[in-house]
Amino acid sequence: MAARSWLNTSRGLLAGFILVHLGFLIFGALLSLRGEAFSDTFIYRDWAAAGFNEANLSGGPSPWVYPILALIPMALAGLAGPGPFFFLWVLMTTLLNGWGLAKLTDRGRNQEAIPAGWWWLVFTLLMGWLGFARVDGLTAPIVLVALAYGVSRPFIASVILAAATWVKVWPAAVMLALFTVVKNRLLVVLAGVATSAVVVALAAVVGSVPKLLNFLTQQGDRGMQLEATFTTPWLWLSVLNVGDSRMYMNTDINSMQVDGPGTAIMSVLMQPLLIVAALLVAGLTFWALHNAKTNGGGVDRTELLLAGALTLATAFVVFNKVGSPQFMVWLAPAVAVGLAHSWREWRVPAAILTAIAVATFFIYPLFYDALSHNNPLMAGVLTIRNVLLVVLFLWSVRRLYLLGKKAPAPVPALKES
């Protein structure tokens, strides 16, 4: 009991943070000393060494598959040359995770938020290198900070989310949820416009304005990725060798895809399907806000923001023809802040997402090679993971509906630092 009580203190949480991240830092340092990197950081390192100039690259994906601000951490990690690149990347992720944890718990002063901090650390550990070797791992703690500011500081939250969207597109889902629930939506719009104007000015300074929106078109012709939720039927057709379905590597974008009867049509349909799903979720969030106000005289806007953010982020994963395993980190910020806001209400999605993280760890990096060679056992693990994603999406939709049907009793908002 004494140990448990100590773990539930700011010092215990800090010790946990150091222990978890020290392991990643040590491994990152060992790989860097050998001149190596890990996963996508090999690609990022090559881009940085080439000055993000496609003419200096021998092939592979273009650095402009990412929005322009994603190139800044890559450039920073490459300042000392290719040798320490991976260690510096892990160090940047660690610092951002520390910022997120400090904001989540009000620097350890919010005792009720400390269990949520522990959940965030456990999730980070379970996701492993997916959170430390991909751009997504940098954006997750930034979105967590934005959600912690939430409806009480909508302008600050919007600036943070807009900047994060110029690193990786998915924080736009959270920004849409914020726009839907705040009282002064003009602040959200102004923050987004002002931040984007700064980004355009930066692009003009470095002469990259013509490439500024390339990330919107660079991957438009890609097929159904192996891990995507809607690819699951063709995954099994490939495993069972039915209908000429097969897995193959798209070397242009470094992505494992599945080809089979109907995949070309499905690939084209996924983009509009994702847009429709996002608009429907935004509409449901808007309905919940106004219907709850009509029925109960008020609504917990923070709870509505978190439910809307999780639903939209999950929609961005479920209805996406790209299903990269690192996408699971998109779902954690809303759950972590939700646990800090109301542990009881958010236990279910936290448990579901924990199971998703465990399944994802088995998929990548442990047994991805087996999965990509039609291993039925790993296909089963991936199927379970995808079913859990759909379950999480349905839970989130139901939560939004219930918030709209009857306004819950007000829950104290997170303390602001």
Side-chain angles (χ1 to χ4, degrees):
M1 290 298 293
R4 183 176 181 180
S5 297
W6 181 77
L7 289 173
N8 202 36
T9 64
S10 58
R11 290 185 177 182
L13 184 63
L14 178 60
F17 173 83
I18 292 173
L19 185 63
V20 167
H21 288 80
L22 188 61
F24 288 106
L25 285 167
I26 291 174
F27 185 73
L30 291 174
L31 280 185
S32 293
L33 287 172
R34 292 165 52 183
E36 298 181 12
F38 188 85
S39 188
D40 281 11
T41 55
F42 275 111
I43 301 173
Y44 304 160
R45 187 176 68 174
D46 290 343
W47 290 345
F52 306 104
N53 186 341
E54 293 165 290
N56 297 331
L57 296 170
S58 57
S62 163
W64 299 99
V65 297
Y66 288 112
I68 188 170
L69 292 190
L71 307 187
I72 293 178
M74 298 176 195
L76 291 175
L79 283 176
F85 184 95
F86 183 52
F87 174 76
L88 293 176
W89 185 272
V90 175
L91 180 61
M92 282 190 291
T93 306
T94 297
L95 294 175
L96 287 171
N97 281 346
W99 181 35
L101 194 62
K103 183 59 183 174
L104 178 68
T105 62
D106 190 18
R107 286 176 287 179
R109 291 193 292 260
N110 185 352
Q111 188 70 28
E112 294 181 356
I114 288 179
W118 273 109
W119 181 87
W120 171 263
L121 286 179
V122 170
F123 179 83
T124 299
L125 182 63
L126 289 174
M127 288 300 295
W129 288 110
L130 290 171
F132 286 88
R134 311 281 175 96
V135 167
D136 307 75
L138 297 176
T139 55
I142 296 173
V143 172
L144 188 152
V145 171
L147 282 172
Y149 278 111
V151 296
S152 63
R153 299 289 190 275
F155 186 82
I156 296 175
S158 299
V159 169
I160 294 172
L161 288 171
T165 300
W166 281 104
V167 176
K168 193 74 186 278
V169 176
W170 75 270
V174 181
M175 195 164 186
L176 179 58
L178 182 67
F179 173 82
T180 306
V181 305
V182 297
K183 292 181 179 179
N184 192 344
R185 295 184 177 90
L186 182 60
L187 282 177
V188 178
V189 174
L190 289 176
V193 170
T195 305
S196 297
V198 172
V199 171
V200 172
L202 175 65
V205 169
V206 298
S208 299
V209 171
K211 298 180 179 180
L212 192 61
L213 298 180
N214 279 15
F215 67 93
L216 296 176
T217 59
Q218 284 274 344
Q219 303 188 51
D221 59 347
R222 72 188 300 166
M224 298 295 293
Q225 190 167 334
L226 171 60
E227 303 102 304
T229 306
F230 275 68
T231 304
T232 304
W234 288 280
L235 163 70
W236 282 103
L237 289 176
S238 177
V239 169
L240 299 174
N241 195 25
V242 175
D244 295 325
S245 295
R246 65 184 181 93
M247 301 177 189
Y248 69 99
M249 173 61 74
N250 185 334
T251 55
D252 290 338
I253 54 175
N254 192 39
S255 173
M256 183 65 67
Q257 298 179 179
V258 178
D259 188 27
T263 53
I265 297 175
M266 197 68 214
S267 176
V268 173
L269 292 176
M270 288 306 296
Q271 192 70 20
L273 184 61
L274 174 57
I275 294 171
V276 170
L279 292 176
L280 288 175
V281 171
L284 177 61
T285 307
F286 186 80
W287 168 86
L289 173 66
H290 289 277
N291 198 61
K293 288 168 65 177
T294 301
N295 291 343
V299 64
D300 183 351
R301 290 177 185 263
T302 296
E303 180 67 21
L304 195 59
L305 166 63
L306 297 173
L310 178 60
T311 311
L312 278 163
T314 310
F316 269 42
V317 176
V318 171
F319 296 95
N320 202 325
K321 65 179 176 180
V322 183
S324 298
Q326 70 268 18
F327 287 6
M328 303 310 113
V329 305
W330 302 359
L331 312 178
V335 173
V337 181
L339 288 170
H341 184 67
S342 177
W343 180 272
R344 180 179 179 182
E345 296 292 347
W346 285 82
R347 288 177 300 176
V348 172
I352 295 172
L353 189 50
T354 301
I356 287 171
V358 172
T360 302
F361 181 74
F362 276 91
I363 294 165
Y364 186 92
L366 290 187
F367 300 110
Y368 193 78
D369 185 65
L371 173 65
S372 62
H373 286 82
N374 292 313
N375 182 281
L377 180 60
M378 289 313 303
V381 173
L382 178 57
T383 301
I384 292 171
R385 199 283 306 273
N386 288 344
V387 169
L388 287 173
L389 282 171
V390 175
V391 170
L392 182 61
F393 177 70
L394 294 176
W395 182 94
S396 306
V397 170
R398 180 177 180 272
R399 179 65 180 158
L400 279 177
Y401 176 76
L402 293 177
L403 287 171
K405 288 294 289 183
K406 182 179 180 181
V411 179
L414 287 171
K415 295 179 181 178
E416 293 298 328
S417 58

